[in-house]
């Protein structure tokens, strides 16, 4: 946090010291972006809690979760991040199939957890800037569980804020997934088709 | 004391045994693969994977069923109380490390936690201190060495103990040596109590992670690599939390209290 404060301070100082109003515009823009990010997490969080704690069967909940994920998460961006350097070497056909499967894997992983999260509540904390992203801190509380610190990384490259990562107690979901795939690929001759068929099998097993 | 020396022996055996099975580095003409290999920093991967398989078998045969039975038989509130008691017994080690890390406010939190929870909290069963503004935090000799500037080193998978690195493996031994209960008393009764505390710690930790570990094994394509990644990220985050906890030591009643920029730490509840 001290870093963010310092950076804000430096930006402000620069705004005062340097002539030209373009410098004055920056902190205000950043403020707008963090506000939008915070509002997005509030909205997505409320929707998720409503689905998890609400009525309805697993099928119904799954459909509603898919809709929430599609609207709030930059799934394509996360998918590209998780494939890392192999995204560049993949053929367009491989990229397309991978993307499609990744979407289903993500939805499956989230849906398979909802049973454990009944009675969940969350508290919105502060929002900070990190590089070009906004990091929204929340505390997630579940019955019979210690409170968990969950940070939501929100990116808005073209003004439209989207979730790009979820960091639970310091562990990043997308980084963990990327290292899982990287290790799988390195033990399968860096063959992207092997990864795709492993993902397909995962999706098939999840039903 | 016998418990400590046998634990240290196990660690030493792993450090030496580990040297026998090494991963094959990628050819130097493939810069991406070399970068991956360096980032993974797991030169003992074949040995580590063998130990991972061994621990998994041990877990499936003993620890997991015991933890499931524990969850089935003991109500949640009692399990929480047992967890609090075990964590209260660990406060001397926690305190020593807070001091060695040069974190007086954390050491103060730990002291207050010990005093409040041991009395009002009925021998540590209830964590009253957290509600009174003294939240728990992670502190062990691995974190201490990290703050002293010691690098983590390559990944190590220890028999029984699981994910680690040379720094944390040494930390494990030093933590045990720091523990007053390791040195108190002699005889079979004391030794039995010492071992049952370690056993209960294992069961408690395993029970708390029953769902997480199942979910990781189900969703990961390479669970070994996923646990490796999670372990490192979690340790880094614990170390950063300790490093960034620079709350001022000026008492609140002191006229010139802390400057606004200095109070940067907001207490957050911790898992362990």
């Amino acid at each position: 946090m001290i870093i963010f404060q310092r950076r804000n301070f430096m930006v402000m100082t620069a705004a005062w010291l340097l002539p030209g109003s373009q410098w004055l515009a920056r902190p205000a823009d950043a403020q707008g972006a963090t506000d939008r990010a915070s509002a997005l997490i509030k909205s997505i969080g409320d929707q998720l809690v409503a689905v998890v704690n609400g009525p309805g069967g697993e099928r119904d909940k799954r459909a509603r979760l898919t809709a929430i994920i599609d609207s709030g998460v930059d799934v394509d961006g996360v998918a590209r991040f998780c494939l890392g350097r192999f995204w560049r070497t993949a053929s367009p056909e491989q990229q397309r199939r991978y993307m499609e499967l990744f979407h289903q894997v993500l939805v499956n992983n989230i849906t398979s957890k909802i049973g454990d999260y009944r009675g969940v509540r969350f508290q919105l904390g502060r929002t900070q800037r990190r590089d070009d992203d906004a990091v929204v801190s929340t505390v997630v509380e579940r019955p019979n569980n210690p409170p968990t610190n969950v940070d939501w990384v929100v990116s808005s490259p073209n003004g439209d804020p989207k979730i790009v990562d979820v960091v639970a107690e310091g562990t990043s979901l997308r980084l963990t997934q990327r290292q899982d795939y990287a290790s799988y690929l390195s033990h399968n001759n860096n063959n992207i088709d092997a990864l795709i068929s492993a993902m397909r099998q995962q999706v098939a097993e999840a039903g | 004391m016998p418990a400590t020396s046998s634990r240290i022996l196990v660690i030493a055996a792993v450090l030496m045994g580990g040297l026998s099975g090494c991963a094959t580095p990628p050819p130097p003409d493939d810069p991406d693969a070399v970068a991956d290999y360096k980032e993974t920093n797991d030169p003992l991967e074949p040995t580590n994977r063998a130990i991972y398989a061994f621990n998994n078998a041990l877990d499936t045969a003993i620890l997991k069923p015991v933890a499931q039975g524990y969850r089935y038989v003991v109500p949640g509130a009692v399990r929480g109380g047992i967890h609090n008691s075990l964590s209260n017994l660990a406060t001397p080690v926690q305190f020593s490390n807070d001091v060695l890390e040069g974190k007086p406010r954390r050491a103060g939190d730990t002291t207050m936690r010990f005093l409040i929870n041991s009395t009002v909290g009925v021998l540590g069963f209830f964590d009253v201190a957290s509600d009174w503004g003294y939240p728990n935090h992670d502190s062990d000799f691995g974190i201490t060495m990290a703050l002293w500037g010691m690098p983590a080193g390559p990944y190590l998978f220890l028999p029984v103990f699981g994910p680690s690195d040379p720094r944390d493996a040494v930390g494990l031994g030093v933590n045990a040596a720091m523990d007053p209960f390791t040195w108190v008393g002699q005889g079979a009764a004391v030794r039995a109590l010492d071992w049952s505390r370690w056993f209960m710690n294992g069961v408690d930790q395993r029970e708390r992670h029953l769902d997480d570990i199942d979910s990781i094994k189900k969703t990961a394509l390479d669970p070994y690599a996923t646990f490796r990644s999670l372990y490192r990220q979690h340790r880094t985050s614990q170390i950063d939390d300790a490093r960034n906890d620079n709350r001022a030591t000026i008492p609140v009643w002191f006229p010139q209290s802390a400057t606004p920029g200095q109070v940067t730490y907001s207490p957050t509840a911790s898992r362990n």
Side-chain angles (χ1 to χ4, degrees), chain A residues 90-206:
Chain A
S91 71
E93 173 61 15
Q94 284 173 326
Q95 288 184 353
R96 191 189 59 74
R97 280 189 295 160
Y98 164 79
M99 208 59 117
E100 202 181 297
L101 283 164
F102 186 86
H103 197 264
Q104 293 177 45
V105 167
L106 189 70
V107 172
N108 282 347
N109 289 356
I110 294 171
T111 349
S112 75
K113 275 188 177 277
I114 64 170
D116 307 340
Y117 280 78
R118 207 173 285 274
V120 70
R121 288 187 307 157
F122 84 102
Q123 283 171 9
L124 204 61
R126 59 172 188 270
T127 305
Q128 304 167 341
R129 301 289 304 167
R130 192 169 66 201
D131 303 327
D132 290 333
D133 298 332
V135 181
V136 185
S137 300
T138 61
V139 177
V140 176
E141 287 177 38
R142 292 185 287 154
N144 299 322
N145 274 285
T148 312
N149 297 307
V150 180
D151 288 349
W152 307 74
V153 184
V154 176
S155 178
S156 32
N158 36 31
D160 184 22
K162 294 271 189 203
I163 298 166
V164 292
D165 196 10
V166 181
V167 183
E169 292 287 336
T171 54
S172 149
L173 219 62
R174 66 171 175 179
L175 183 62
T176 310
Q177 187 68 77
R178 179 183 166 122
Q179 292 180 338
D180 181 35
Y181 287 172
S183 178
Y184 186 86
L185 282 161
S186 78
H187 288 96
N188 287 279
N189 304 319
N190 294 339
N191 181 356
I192 296 166
D193 285 327
L195 176 73
I196 288 173
S197 58
M199 289 168 78
R200 177 163 297 140
Q201 196 180 337
Q202 259 190 333
V203 171
E205 278 169 11

Side-chain angles (χ1 to χ4, degrees), chain B residues 104-118:
Chain B
R105 288 297 294 272
R106 288 194 149 201
D109 280 355
T110 307
T111 309
M112 291 308 284
R113 287 181 60 76
F114 182 70
L115 292 176
I116 295 169
N117 286 347
S118 302

Side-chain angles (χ1 to χ4, degrees), chain B residues 62-87:
Chain B
I62 301 169
L63 195 51
K64 191 180 171 188
V66 171
Q68 282 170 324
Y70 175 62
R71 176 180 279 186
Y72 183 74
V73 171
V74 182
V78 179
R79 291 200 307 265
I82 290 172
H83 174 79
N84 290 339
S85 304
L86 290 166
S87 148

